[in-house]
Amino acid sequence: MKETVTVKTLAKELNISIATVSKALNDSYEISLETKQKVWDLAKKLKYQRNPSASNLRSHKTKTIAVIIPEIANNFFSLAINGIEEIARKRDYHVLIYQTHENSEIEIAFTDSLLSGRVDGILISVSSNTNNNEHFKELVKKIPVVFFDRVFEDIDAVKITTDDYESAYSATRHLIEGGCKKIAYLFALNNLVTGKNRFAGYQKALEEHGMVYTDAMVVNYDKDISKNYENIKAMVSSEKPDAIISSIEDLALPCYYVARELNLNIPGDLKIISFSNLNTAPLLNPSLTTIEQPAFEIGKEAADILFKILDKKYFDPNENHILKSSLIKRESTS
Amino acid sequence: MKETVTVKTLAKELNISIATVSKALNDSYEISLETKQKVWDLAKKLKYQRNPSASNLRSHKTKTIAVIIPEIANNFFSLAINGIEEIARKRDYHVLIYQTHENSEIEIAFTDSLLSGRVDGILISVSSNTNNNEHFKELVKKIPVVFFDRVFEDIDAVKITTDDYESAYSATRHLIEGGCKKIAYLFALNNLVTGKNRFAGYQKALEEHGMVYTDAMVVNYDKDISKNYENIKAMVSSEKPDAIISSIEDLALPCYYVARELNLNIPGDLKIISFSNLNTAPLLNPSLTTIEQPAFEIGKEAADILFKILDKKYFDPNENHILKSSLIKRESTS
DNA sequence: GCTATTCACTTAAACGTATTCGTAAATAAA
DNA sequence: TTTATTTACGAATACGTTTAAGTGAATAGC
């Protein structure tokens, strides 16, 4: 068994105190360059690695952040993580990832467990089934948190979102201008501003063109994923819309299957448009018109701000950062 | 500022020693059920949370594992992570995720940094650009490691893979039986058994049918992702194969773009088959024939075995676990 | 030339937990 | 009854850092 090399080892070897070693390793002004250099050299030679637990325990800094997301197997979130990771790596931070699988109890369990000092801060995109934000209100009082994409409105924390209202609005207009008379909507994230804004944008566009929607044309996202396909199919069968707007990516592919099943031609019989970051969108049959969110940038921005908060260089917890999504028109709406 | 509640708090409140509290919390046989119950109740009431750093420092257990993968924005890996996570959560373990972005220097930096006692074990799927396994040979001596999917052959560690040879073989046969005379191959993971086996399966099938491949028909994966498209295009233009087998998912979509660009009909002019876990494979234009790996199960299996090793209940470091992939025939090869 | 300050370092305590060793009382064995 | 064993707990230490406070020597200020 190899002896593990600690500050003590270095101190003994160099005949100086462990305090000096520690300070040298932290590049403290109290230590002469000469001594620092000796310490650094020996540390490198002996492959010294600072013990993170001991360091955390003493300094209350973990150099770790947590990312809580609904699902990793989703292009939007994996791209966001990439953005987060890019920023985290620059600061030598580690990233713990927690998936809620859209389950708000799991979400609560995670946030609770993160209060033990395991991480310095948290980035979170709320589960769609979370309908109570009391828990988050408590959370943000105890640890720095930045919300991204799926956010609550009345919470004292920085939020990074996209222009949900505007993009849903212009997507709807795009369909109307394409001649659609009956536009169905797949509603998700009902409890979050994110979902509300998207729906509001849809409503607004309809209204402006003297159109209306009925409840029957709106399918609500079901926790039970298998039910979504059935619900969409039922709605399309009975309502016979000529277009569908899906407010989340997960509901877009079921639309394709439904159209196939019901023998409907896309876009001839049914136009489809979805919030999505699918990289196969251009290769689908037919290619899918999407509202593409700047996922990577959202991740970067969120992480960036979290670090600013950790550095105590940020003081406006209620600022909303809104990035722009882009409507990418493809065959499914042409 | 709220006082943080520690074992000391509990001890004082209950008028017992902190040793007793600590032991009670760990459900030690040394403590009476009565006392344990009192401690547990108070702990719950005061929302006591064990400080992970202190606990790690003392016990040398972090309850954390690291997962090192090339890319998170890839269905195979995100599904594998889901499998890993499912197992980890059952054991109340935390999961640190590190992406190498196929860069072996970053890979080395990560593994090095994980030697500081930040995690109890590591799950790793090697970067495609890693051509030297010396570093891993050192690593596995110092910390429990399980390799999955992308693995080296001569390393003293458990490896979880799929039947790469057999599945590449049957994929190739599928094409031959479909009448293909000139089957090109997109070669990746050249340095790993994973890649070698796949290529060998392809070779074997060709050979059995008296067919040959030339170097010109084999395109090697380029670190510079943008080049892959160009290389495939050049190969298809000059060699005019009637089929392509892609040994990784990342090279499948470029084939679609190349076919489009060169005005080739899939599958009429060019059949395509790829190792892939794309969930949009059935919806592509045309739908893509895939060799689908059991990604979720691979993750579960890898995590499962890592935990067995951590429990010291596993003693065969060289056992290979091979799961079966499935060939899913779709329009791109029919 | 004397005091005040800076420099470079050390001592010692703390962070919160786990664990070894010891012990008094209760129980069992003789 | 005496001795051995078990039960239930406590005292004290260690894990590897960081940091507040202290110190002697060198330098600066006047």
Side-chain angles (χ1 to χ4, degrees):
Chain A
M1 202 62 187
K2 281 265 275 300
E3 294 299 319
T4 90
V5 19
T6 73
V7 279
K8 208 181 206 168
T9 322
L10 303 183
K12 202 168 286 175
E13 184 85 12
L14 293 173
N15 231 6
I16 56 182
S17 78
I18 66 172
T20 304
V21 172
S22 175
K23 285 176 184 169
L25 291 171
N26 288 318
D27 201 10
S28 160
Y29 67 95
E30 291 181 68
I31 307 300
S32 71
L33 186 60
E34 193 189 5
T35 307
K36 280 182 192 172
Q37 200 60 57
K38 277 197 288 187
V39 173
W40 295 339
D41 289 349
L42 185 64
K44 180 172 259 178
K45 184 177 155 211
L46 300 186
K47 292 185 181 166
Y48 165 79
Q49 303 240 68
R50 165 192 274 113
N51 180 308
S53 303
S55 182
N56 300 347
L57 178 57
R58 187 59 237 253
S59 66
H60 297 286
K61 303 270 166 211
T62 64
K63 287 226 147 205
T64 306
I65 58 174
V67 179
I68 303 180
I69 53 169
E71 204 73 48
I72 215 173
N74 170 304
N75 250 54
F76 173 78
F77 290 114
S78 47
L79 289 174
I81 289 177
N82 276 355
I84 291 167
E85 211 222 3
E86 176 164 316
I87 301 295
R89 185 138 38 114
K90 278 192 193 145
R91 324 254 313 207
D92 236 8
Y93 261 68
H94 299 247
V95 181
L96 276 168
I97 292 179
Y98 299 90
Q99 299 187 71
T100 62
H101 299 296
E102 309 281 11
N103 179 326
S104 69
E105 280 130 55
I106 294 179
E107 196 173 61
I108 291 179
F110 282 152
T111 49
D112 274 350
S113 87
L114 289 175
L115 255 28
S116 61
R118 185 178 286 272
V119 299
D120 295 345
I122 302 178
L123 294 170
I124 182 165
S125 198
V126 179
S127 147
S128 63
N129 296 316
T130 303
N131 46 32
N132 184 318
N133 62 8
E134 285 309 315
H135 188 261
F136 289 110
K137 285 186 175 172
E138 288 306 309
L139 183 72
V140 299
K141 290 182 194 162
K142 298 176 185 159
I143 187 171
V145 180
V146 170
F147 290 83
F148 67 99
D149 189 45
R150 298 178 174 202
V151 309
F152 285 110
E153 39 204 329
D154 56 343
I155 275 206
D156 237 23
V158 185
K159 309 168 196 75
I160 320 290
T161 56
T162 51
D163 54 346
D164 294 301
Y165 179 87
E166 289 78 6
S167 49
Y169 172 82
S170 60
T172 311
R173 275 201 60 162
H174 170 54
L175 290 173
I176 295 172
E177 285 162 3
C180 295
K181 301 294 178 199
K182 190 167 183 183
I183 303 172
Y185 189 87
L186 309 185
F187 199 177
L189 316 178
N190 317 28
N191 309 310
L192 308 174
V193 236
T194 316
K196 289 175 189 167
N197 284 349
R198 290 178 188 179
F199 191 62
Y202 157 74
Q203 281 181 292
K204 175 68 175 175
L206 289 188
E207 195 181 293
E208 276 188 11
H209 292 78
M211 297 168 68
V212 288
Y213 72 91
T214 63
D215 286 351
M217 289 157 59
V218 175
V219 175
N220 283 290
Y221 178 77
D222 199 300
K223 310 164 200 234
D224 182 352
I225 298 170
S226 62
K227 281 199 182 155
N228 288 314
Y229 169 78
E230 292 304 332
N231 293 344
I232 295 170
K233 187 169 154 192
M235 183 275 286
V236 173
S237 302
S238 68
E239 296 297 312
K240 309 209 183 306
D242 53 14
I244 297 180
I245 297 183
S246 170
S247 63
I248 54 170
E249 177 175 303
D250 291 352
L251 296 178
L253 300 188
C255 292
Y256 274 69
Y257 288 111
V258 165
R260 212 172 260 199
E261 172 80 9
L262 298 178
N263 237 341
L264 297 172
N265 174 271
I266 306 175
D269 304 319
L270 185 65
K271 294 195 190 344
I272 296 180
I273 188 165
S274 178
F275 278 81
S276 167
N277 286 76
L278 266 184
N279 57 359
T280 51
L283 295 175
L284 294 185
N285 187 13
S287 60
L288 173 65
T289 294
T290 55
I291 298 160
E292 196 174 305
Q293 297 177 274
F296 184 80
E297 286 72 24
I298 292 177
K300 275 179 69 169
E301 181 82 0
D304 225 26
I305 291 186
L306 179 61
F307 283 122
K308 283 191 182 142
I309 296 174
L310 293 178
D311 290 347
K312 316 264 186 225
K313 285 184 181 149
Y314 195 87
F315 297 101
D316 188 355
N318 266 312
E319 190 171 343
N320 270 2
H321 294 244
I322 302 176
L323 308 190
K324 273 204 169 24
S325 298
S326 30
L327 176 65
I328 303 181
K329 299 170 186 170
R330 297 203 182 88
E331 294 163 6
S332 71
T333 59
S334 62
Chain B
M1 200 62 184
K2 281 267 273 301
E3 293 298 317
T4 91
V5 20
T6 72
V7 280
K8 209 183 208 169
T9 320
L10 303 183
K12 203 168 285 175
E13 185 85 11
L14 293 173
N15 232 7
I16 56 182
S17 78
I18 64 171
T20 304
V21 172
S22 174
K23 285 174 185 169
L25 291 170
N26 289 319
D27 202 10
S28 160
Y29 67 94
E30 289 181 69
I31 307 299
S32 72
L33 186 59
E34 194 189 4
T35 307
K36 279 182 192 173
Q37 200 60 57
K38 278 196 286 185
V39 172
W40 294 339
D41 289 348
L42 186 64
K44 181 173 261 179
K45 184 177 155 212
L46 300 186
K47 293 185 180 165
Y48 166 78
Q49 302 240 69
R50 170 194 266 108
N51 180 309
S53 302
S55 181
N56 300 346
L57 178 58
R58 187 61 235 254
S59 67
H60 297 288
K61 304 269 168 212
T62 64
K63 287 228 146 204
T64 306
I65 59 174
V67 179
I68 303 180
I69 53 171
E71 203 73 47
I72 216 174
N74 170 304
N75 249 52
F76 173 79
F77 290 114
S78 47
L79 289 174
I81 288 177
N82 276 354
I84 291 167
E85 212 222 5
E86 175 163 318
I87 301 295
R89 185 137 40 113
K90 278 191 192 146
R91 325 252 317 204
D92 237 7
Y93 261 68
H94 299 248
V95 181
L96 276 168
I97 292 179
Y98 299 89
Q99 298 188 72
T100 62
H101 300 295
E102 309 282 12
N103 179 327
S104 69
E105 280 131 54
I106 294 179
E107 197 172 59
I108 290 178
F110 282 153
T111 50
D112 274 349
S113 87
L114 289 174
L115 257 27
S116 61
R118 183 177 287 272
V119 299
D120 294 343
I122 302 177
L123 294 169
I124 182 164
S125 198
V126 179
S127 147
S128 63
N129 296 316
T130 302
N131 45 33
N132 184 317
N133 61 8
E134 285 309 314
H135 188 259
F136 289 109
K137 286 188 174 171
E138 287 306 310
L139 182 71
V140 299
K141 289 183 194 160
K142 297 176 186 160
I143 187 169
V145 180
V146 170
F147 290 83
F148 67 99
D149 190 47
R150 299 181 175 197
V151 309
F152 285 110
E153 42 206 326
D154 56 343
I155 275 205
D156 237 24
V158 185
K159 307 167 197 77
I160 320 289
T161 56
T162 51
D163 54 345
D164 294 301
Y165 178 87
E166 290 78 6
S167 50
Y169 171 82
S170 60
T172 311
R173 275 200 59 164
H174 170 55
L175 290 173
I176 294 173
E177 285 162 3
C180 294
K181 301 294 176 201
K182 188 166 185 184
I183 303 172
Y185 190 88
L186 308 186
F187 199 176
L189 317 178
N190 316 31
N191 308 309
L192 309 174
V193 238
T194 315
K196 289 176 190 166
N197 285 348
R198 290 178 187 179
F199 191 62
Y202 157 76
Q203 281 181 294
K204 175 68 175 175
L206 289 188
E207 195 182 293
E208 275 187 14
H209 292 78
M211 296 168 66
V212 288
Y213 72 92
T214 62
D215 286 349
M217 290 156 58
V218 175
V219 174
N220 284 290
Y221 179 77
D222 199 300
K223 312 164 201 234
D224 181 353
I225 298 171
S226 62
K227 280 198 182 154
N228 288 313
Y229 170 78
E230 292 303 331
N231 293 343
I232 295 168
K233 186 170 156 191
M235 182 274 286
V236 173
S237 302
S238 67
E239 296 298 311
K240 306 206 185 305
D242 52 14
I244 296 180
I245 296 182
S246 170
S247 63
I248 54 169
E249 178 174 303
D250 291 351
L251 296 178
L253 300 189
C255 292
Y256 273 68
Y257 287 112
V258 166
R260 214 171 256 200
E261 172 81 10
L262 298 178
N263 236 341
L264 296 172
N265 175 272
I266 305 174
D269 304 320
L270 184 65
K271 295 193 189 344
I272 297 182
I273 190 166
S274 178
F275 277 81
S276 168
N277 286 74
L278 265 184
N279 57 358
T280 51
L283 295 176
L284 294 184
N285 186 12
S287 60
L288 174 64
T289 294
T290 54
I291 299 161
E292 197 175 303
Q293 296 178 275
F296 184 80
E297 286 72 23
I298 292 178
K300 274 179 68 171
E301 180 84 1
D304 224 27
I305 292 187
L306 180 61
F307 283 123
K308 283 191 182 145
I309 296 174
L310 293 179
D311 290 345
K312 317 265 185 224
K313 285 184 181 149
Y314 197 88
F315 296 104
D316 188 354
N318 267 313
E319 189 172 342
N320 269 2
H321 293 245
I322 302 177
L323 307 188
K324 274 205 169 24
S325 297
S326 30
L327 177 64
I328 302 182
K329 298 169 187 169
R330 297 202 184 87
E331 293 164 7
S332 72
T333 59
S334 63

